[in-house]
Amino acid sequence: MSVMKRIGIPILEALSEGACTRTELFERVEDRIDLKWETFKRFMGFLRSDGMIKTLPISDEHPHTRIALTEEASEFVQSLLE
């Protein structure tokens, strides 16, 4: 199984549950895939450079940097779930 299928798809599916911090996302996927924090961060950079995730601005409501799926990634995840 390719790395994208084994690691990327579970990350994207977990992120489709809603915007969150990297730590929160890691906690969402750690039961689904066996992944070290360092590998997770590296893979997040890969998803960002491919335009699959975006960083949301910090606000009073959310004082920490959060990430979310881009429109393209949302469509991709929806196609997987159908």
Side-chain angles (χ1 to χ4, degrees):
M1 180 183 284
S2 76
V3 174
M4 180 58 177
K5 287 182 181 176
R6 189 174 62 80
I7 299 173
I9 291 175
I11 290 174
L12 294 175
E13 288 175 343
L15 198 50
S16 72
E17 297 171 12
C20 59
T21 65
R22 284 189 316 176
T23 304
E24 291 168 342
L25 181 59
F26 184 74
E27 290 170 356
R28 288 182 192 176
V29 299
E30 68 182 338
D31 294 337
R32 300 181 200 181
I33 52 178
D34 183 26
L35 193 61
K36 293 182 180 177
W37 175 249
E38 296 79 15
T39 307
F40 171 79
K41 290 192 303 184
R42 194 172 307 122
F43 212 86
M44 293 300 292
F46 171 73
L47 291 173
R48 181 174 282 115
S49 69
D50 271 1
M52 300 299 274
I53 62 173
K54 61 184 176 182
T55 303
L56 301 176
I58 294 174
S59 67
D60 291 337
E61 224 175 280
H62 302 285
H64 301 286
T65 302
R66 296 178 311 134
I67 51 175
L69 293 177
T70 61
E71 187 64 36
E72 178 185 348
S74 293
E75 292 172 8
F76 174 72
V77 171
Q78 287 302 319
S79 71
L80 291 174
L81 298 176
E82 292 176 348

